[in-house]
């Protein structure tokens, strides 16, 4: 295949969800509500953690604030384009923008996986070594672990992007999803992608599966090490929200990335779960099950109310 043929495809067409205008209008309203809720919930958590001295000094809530920021970034990579496409029948995306979306999707997504692993380690130290918790989980270590999460996401995403841009695209250009991701994009390449698929599955699939195994193992270790019934109930209360987030995020990721790049009819709905729904639910899961966050939010609300009255 000559070099000119590799440059034929300049833009892709995103399949989206439906071609019926009335259905797309309803979906636009629904996903707009999801996106607004994601912003409101995650920004509220970040502001609450930053404004409360106790939460801001706690390693757990420092990591939670970073998770909220990642959720905002992750949702913003795909949702604005999805909303625009609901109002556009063509659903076109330039090749360069497609690669950029793919890069940031895996950059932020992998960073969130690593950060959730860090949060599981934080809970392990808090429950199993409570007397040494503040010494071990110092602010300096937390900053290093957060930075390492971002760096790990960057390295992972760079590998994915390099493997993708080296492929020639000269034929079909319809991406069978509502955003650009590795599995549906490389299926459009005008070349044998078997080796590339194996490399990408071993990359994304290994990261998501191994991270999930580490997370579940850490929570299991916490429960096993605690002997008393009251202690286990406390540990379940502490780790329950984390485990819920982990399951909602890693389950769909493993389904999509830890298998050969074959297409299933449920792929789009699974993609919605970890791209749109999980970033929206994370603030609800953490606040509804956490008295300290709810208390800090009430203080913030009361403080803002007093400020308005003084003005």
């Amino acid at each position: 295949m000559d070099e000119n043929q590799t440059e034929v495809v300049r833009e892709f067409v995103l399949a989206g969800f439906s071609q019926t205008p009335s259905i797309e209008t309803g979906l636009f309203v629904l996903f707009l509500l999801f996106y607004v809720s994601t912003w409101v919930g995650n920004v509220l958590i970040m502001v609450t953690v930053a404004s409360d001295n106790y939460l801001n000094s706690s390693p757990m809530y420092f990591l939670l604030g970073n998770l909220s920021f990642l959720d905002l970034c992750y949702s913003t990579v795909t949702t604005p384009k999805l909303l625009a496409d609901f109002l556009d029948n063509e659903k076109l995306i330039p090749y360069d923008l497609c690669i950029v979306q793919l890069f940031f999707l895996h950059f932020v997504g992998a960073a969130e996986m690593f950060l959730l692993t860090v949060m599981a380690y934080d809970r392990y130290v808090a429950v199993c070594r409570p007397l040494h918790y503040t010494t071990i989980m110092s602010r300096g270590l937390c900053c290093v672990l957060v930075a390492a999460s971002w760096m790990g996401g960057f390295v992972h995403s760079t590998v994915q992007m390099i493997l993708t841009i080296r492929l020639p695209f000269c034929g079909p250009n319809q991406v069978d999803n509502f955003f650009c991701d590795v599995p549906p994009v490389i299926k459009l390449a005008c070349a044998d992608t078997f080796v590339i698929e194996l490399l990408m599955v071993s990359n994304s699939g290994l990261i998501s599966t191994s991270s999930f195994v580490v997370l579940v193992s850490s929570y299991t270790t916490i429960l096993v090490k605690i002997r008393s019934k009251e202690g286990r109930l406390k540990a379940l209360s502490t780790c329950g929200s984390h485990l819920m987030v982990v399951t909602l995020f890693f389950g769909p990721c493993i389904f999509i990335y830890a298998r050969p790049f074959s297409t299933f009819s449920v792929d789009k709905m699974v993609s919605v779960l970890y791209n749109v729904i999980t970033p929206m639910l994370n603030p609800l899961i953490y606040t509804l099950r956490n008295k300290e966050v709810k208390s800090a939010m009430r203080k913030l609300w009361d403080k803002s109310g007093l400020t308005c009255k003084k003005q």
Side-chain angles (χ1 to χ4, degrees), residues 69-257:
F69 179 71
L70 281 171
D71 279 334
L72 277 183
C73 295
Y74 195 60
S75 180
T76 301
V77 170
T78 57
T79 308
K81 174 60 178 169
L82 173 62
L83 292 172
D85 286 344
F86 281 137
L87 306 178
D88 184 0
N89 292 329
E90 292 186 336
K91 298 178 175 56
L92 300 177
I93 183 169
Y95 172 84
D96 291 341
L97 185 57
C98 180
I99 297 300
V100 169
Q101 188 182 57
L102 183 152
F103 173 81
F104 281 103
L105 179 76
H106 283 266
F107 177 24
V108 181
E112 182 159 342
M113 288 184 184
F114 295 134
L115 183 63
L116 287 169
T117 306
V118 171
M119 294 177 74
Y121 174 70
D122 170 75
R123 291 300 85 206
Y124 170 82
V125 176
V127 174
C128 297
R129 302 190 65 185
L131 297 179
H132 301 91
Y133 175 63
T134 55
T135 304
I136 296 174
M137 296 301 296
S138 64
R139 178 52 62 94
L141 178 62
C142 288
C143 290
V144 169
L145 292 174
V146 169
S149 298
W150 282 93
M151 184 57 66
F154 178 79
V155 172
H156 160 74
S157 186
T158 300
V159 171
Q160 299 288 85
M161 183 187 69
I162 290 174
L163 291 174
T164 303
I165 62 177
R166 291 172 62 88
L167 293 171
F169 296 94
C170 58
N173 68 336
Q174 184 172 33
V175 178
D176 190 20
N177 213 324
F178 61 90
F179 61 96
C180 286
D181 197 5
V182 173
V185 169
I186 72 168
K187 291 182 77 67
L188 304 176
C190 302
D192 184 4
T193 60
F194 178 74
V195 175
I196 301 294
E197 287 185 26
L198 287 181
L199 290 173
M200 290 183 169
V201 168
S202 63
N203 187 348
S204 297
L206 182 63
I207 288 175
S208 55
T209 304
S210 59
S211 297
F212 182 72
V213 170
V214 169
L215 286 161
V216 173
S217 299
S218 66
Y219 292 131
T220 303
T221 302
I222 290 173
L223 294 177
V224 169
K225 284 199 171 186
I226 298 175
R227 301 299 181 185
S228 66
K229 183 178 180 181
E230 291 182 0
R232 287 190 176 182
L233 289 174
K234 183 179 178 181
L236 284 172
S237 176
T238 304
C239 302
S241 57
H242 295 265
L243 192 57
M244 197 179 301
V245 169
V246 164
T247 304
L248 286 172
F249 185 72
F250 280 92
C253 287
I254 292 172
F255 177 79
I256 293 292
Y257 299 114

Side-chain angles (χ1 to χ4, degrees), residues 34 37-39 41-42 45 67 71 241 244-245 248-249 272-273 276-288:
F34 288 160
S37 299
T38 299
W39 266 88
N42 285 290
I45 283 184
L67 178 65
D71 279 334
S241 57
M244 197 179 301
V245 169
L248 286 172
F249 185 72
V272 168
L273 185 61
V276 181
I277 304 300
T278 301
M280 178 188 67
L281 290 180
N282 281 354
L284 294 175
I285 291 171
Y286 280 106
T287 54
L288 290 177

Side-chain angles (χ1 to χ4, degrees), residues 2-3 8-9 27 31 40 59 83-84 109 111 129 136 141 148 152-153 163 167 184 186 247 256 290 301 304:
D2 62 46
E3 199 173 293
V8 171
V9 174
L27 289 174
F31 279 84
V40 171
L83 292 172
R129 302 190 65 185
I136 296 174
L141 178 62
L163 291 174
L167 293 171
I186 72 168
T247 304
I256 293 292
N290 194 303
W301 178 264
S304 63

